[in-house]
Amino acid sequence: MPEELYDVTIVGGGPAGLYTAFYSGMRDLKTKIIEFSSQLGGRMLIYPEKMIWDVGGVKPILGGELIQQLIQQAKTFDPTIVLNQKIEKLEKQSDGTFILTSASGEKHYSKAIILAVGYGVLSMQKLDIEGADRYEVTNLHYTVQELEIFRNKHILISGGGNSAVDWANELESIAASVTIVHRRDEFGGHEKNVLRMRESSINVKTPYEVVQLHSDGDVIQYVSIVNKETNEMERVQVDAVVVNHGLKCDYGALEEWGLEIQDGVAIVNEKRETNIEGIYGAGDFIDHPSKVRLIAGAFTDGILALNSAKLFLEPDAPKVAYVSSHNIRFKERNKQIGLVDNDYREVRG
């Protein structure tokens, strides 16, 4: 039995990959998504309780809820979804099609590929203090899965990037106190969020670093921090410690495929084309002169990558999809929810 050949295979099931799958359906392409983990959602799975404000037309929404909406949207045109497969090998056949082979040996056949792998397989940067791992089962956290477990507690956050600043702001309203410790005076978060943090009751300690954890058994009670300029030591009483020191990224065998990768990201042009014909990129995995590192930017990447793939497969096709109010692929679905008449004009049912 011949293997099934797809028009487009999207590697990566985060926001970029999910929206690209939806848009691929709008362009009437046979689509497959392959995701390394057991769940769709990508990096956002780490922050299900994080409030997201910057998706156009969507009110502030929890990361976990946005994931579910993206998954539902991605399934609109019934793409094939494959979980728990890490793609390791890429082969280009004589007819121009590709074979993707997973670590477990499964093969996937596709005419075009869109890489939306984010930063690859992610793992948290751990706190570099001997014995810190013993507290991971009690009150040392590397992400915030549930805000409520921090209510009325004294919290210390170590880190200075977007996540550290965001969590400080989120927790400030429910915690007894929040202290944020960063090795530099400048924070890497969005300017407005950093300003909000500095103007709040959050105790901002810079340039400080966590150097020791003090416990009673397996529960941290105090944290020693040191001023990086004066070597002055302080102790901070805590009920919980949250560490946001960034993520370790691992692209694995993908880095051996011959893609142009610089500083950990793939270089693409304005059409989201990589240096390998038939392979495109979207989301955090790629860089280009006008790159926007927001979810909205990932959606745009996916659209442009998919349009390029469509024209690669069908050079005479329209350059972009018709808007949903005029796209024939929505005709039956609109009828099902009672929103359109026979002329495709939107009306109330």
Side-chain angles (χ1 to χ4, degrees):
M1 179 178 178
E3 297 290 344
E4 193 168 8
L5 179 65
Y6 284 79
D7 294 322
V8 173
T9 296
I10 301 162
V11 183
L18 291 170
Y19 190 80
T20 304
F22 166 71
Y23 188 77
S24 185
M26 288 182 66
R27 303 230 59 185
D28 199 21
L29 294 175
K30 185 177 181 179
T31 308
K32 177 185 282 188
I33 306 173
I34 304 175
E35 166 57 38
F36 164 73
S37 72
S38 60
Q39 302 176 70
L40 295 169
R43 185 178 178 181
M44 289 180 62
L45 291 169
I46 302 173
Y47 311 114
E49 289 280 334
K50 186 175 180 180
M51 192 63 72
I52 297 172
W53 290 72
D54 54 9
V55 179
V58 177
K59 66 181 182 180
I61 185 172
L62 291 174
E65 294 177 2
L66 182 58
I67 290 170
Q68 293 308 311
Q69 292 190 21
L70 285 167
I71 292 171
Q72 183 178 1
Q73 184 183 47
K75 292 180 177 179
T76 301
F77 299 105
D78 303 314
T80 297
I81 298 174
V82 179
L83 302 176
N84 295 307
Q85 287 197 26
K86 183 180 181 181
I87 298 301
E88 292 197 338
K89 187 176 180 181
L90 170 73
E91 301 172 74
K92 193 167 188 178
Q93 302 186 97
S94 59
D95 63 357
T97 60
F98 297 93
I99 304 175
L100 293 166
T101 306
S102 72
S104 51
E106 289 87 353
K107 293 184 182 296
H108 305 272
Y109 296 80
S110 191
K111 298 176 184 177
I113 295 170
I114 296 177
L115 298 174
V117 297
Y119 295 105
V121 179
L122 298 174
S123 59
M124 294 289 185
Q125 293 272 17
K126 296 296 186 75
L127 187 63
D128 189 18
I129 294 177
E130 186 176 355
D133 55 344
R134 65 184 284 198
Y135 305 113
E136 292 178 16
V137 296
T138 54
N139 62 339
L140 175 62
H141 308 267
Y142 289 98
T143 186
V144 176
Q145 295 288 332
E146 296 180 38
L147 288 172
E148 278 301 311
I149 68 174
F150 297 96
R151 184 173 292 277
N152 300 323
K153 292 186 177 180
H154 298 281
I155 302 164
L156 183 141
I157 298 174
S158 178
N162 275 320
S163 294
V165 172
D166 289 349
W167 286 130
N169 287 329
E170 290 284 343
L171 292 168
E172 189 251 350
S173 63
I174 66 170
S177 68
V178 176
T179 299
I180 186 166
V181 177
H182 184 37
R183 293 182 298 173
R184 292 180 289 275
D185 291 324
E186 297 299 319
F187 286 82
H190 296 302
E191 297 93 330
K192 189 172 183 64
N193 293 336
V194 172
L195 180 63
R196 174 187 167 193
M197 176 187 72
R198 290 190 182 278
E199 292 180 344
S200 71
S201 65
I202 296 167
N203 183 21
V204 178
K205 303 291 291 184
T206 63
Y208 278 83
E209 182 178 16
V210 174
V211 292
Q212 192 172 356
L213 307 175
H214 307 273
S215 68
D216 178 14
D218 292 329
V219 178
I220 304 168
Q221 292 187 316
Y222 296 89
V223 174
S224 289
I225 61 175
V226 63
N227 187 301
K228 300 291 287 183
E229 295 178 353
T230 67
N231 289 323
E232 176 187 3
M233 295 281 290
E234 291 185 29
R235 271 194 177 189
V236 181
Q237 182 181 359
V238 298
D239 297 311
V241 176
V242 178
V243 176
N244 288 135
H245 288 178
L247 298 164
K248 291 182 180 179
C249 309
D250 180 13
Y251 292 125
L254 183 148
E255 295 193 71
E256 302 170 5
W257 293 1
L259 295 162
E260 182 183 356
I261 296 179
Q262 297 178 10
D263 299 323
V265 290
I267 304 303
V268 299
N269 62 18
E270 70 279 2
K271 297 178 181 179
R272 306 316 188 253
E273 297 168 326
T274 71
N275 59 304
I276 301 177
E277 187 179 41
I279 299 182
Y280 311 87
D284 288 332
F285 175 61
I286 63 168
D287 196 20
H288 49 82
S290 56
K291 178 65 180 173
V292 176
R293 295 199 176 276
L294 296 172
I295 293 175
F299 295 163
T300 301
D301 287 336
I303 290 170
L304 293 172
L306 198 286
N307 284 337
S308 294
K310 177 74 172 182
L311 292 173
F312 172 68
L313 299 174
E314 303 173 26
D316 294 329
K319 292 183 179 180
V320 299
Y322 292 111
V323 295
S324 61
S325 58
H326 294 82
N327 191 312
I328 195 170
R329 300 218 76 195
F330 291 98
K331 181 179 179 181
E332 291 304 319
R333 287 170 171 79
N334 286 336
K335 285 183 177 179
Q336 290 169 10
I337 57 176
L339 288 179
V340 298
D341 62 15
N342 291 331
D343 295 325
Y344 299 87
R345 291 172 299 179
E346 292 189 358
V347 297
R348 294 189 179 274

